[in-house]
Amino acid sequence: NNNNNNNNNNKEDIEKGMTLLAKSDCLTCHKLNEKVIGPSYKEVAKKYANKPSNIKMLAGKIINGGSGVWGAIPMTAHATLSQADAELMVKYIMSLK
C-alpha cells in the first residue's frame, strides 16, 4: 500500500465495500446507474463530496435509515451493520464518481 494514497480512495477498502453491498439487500432499492426506489449509486456519488465527514454521515444513514433527501420514500435502517462496514460501502459508492 502506498502511504501517500488518499484514505478515501483505498482500493482494498473499495473492493471490500463492493463485496458488502453485493451481499446486502441494497440492490432491492438501488442500482449502479438507474433510479429504482432510491437513487442510483452514481447519483449519490455525484451529490456528495468524497470527504471523511460525508462518508461518516452517509454510513450513519445506511445504519439508521433516512428520508427526505431523495423523496418521500424512507430508506430502511440496517441496524446490524457496523459503522466500519457501512463506511466501506460508502467508500465504494464514492469511487463511482
Side-chain angles (χ1 to χ4, degrees):
N1 257 350
N2 181 350
N3 286 338
N4 295 330
N5 220 2
N6 179 339
N7 277 344
N8 297 343
N9 297 317
N10 179 309
K11 189 172 184 240
E12 194 175 303
D13 283 356
I14 290 167
E15 287 174 5
K16 285 180 191 169
M18 185 172 68
T19 301
L20 286 164
L21 270 175
K23 290 187 205 170
S24 74
D25 67 350
C26 300
L27 291 171
T28 305
C29 298
H30 301 280
K31 301 283 181 244
L32 187 64
N33 289 312
E34 60 188 277
K35 181 182 184 338
V36 186
I37 293 168
S40 73
Y41 293 141
K42 288 194 173 185
E43 287 176 297
V44 174
K46 193 170 151 187
K47 184 176 183 89
Y48 296 98
N50 187 1
K51 60 184 186 179
S53 61
N54 280 342
I55 291 170
K56 189 174 195 128
M57 178 271 295
L58 290 169
K61 284 185 173 263
I62 293 170
I63 293 167
N64 299 311
S67 67
V69 176
W70 298 93
I73 299 170
M75 181 168 69
T76 310
H78 299 83
T80 58
L81 263 181
S82 70
Q83 179 72 24
D85 282 355
E87 287 185 15
L88 289 171
M89 294 164 104
V90 174
K91 286 179 183 182
Y92 163 69
I93 292 167
M94 291 298 191
S95 78
L96 301 171
K97 282 191 189 301

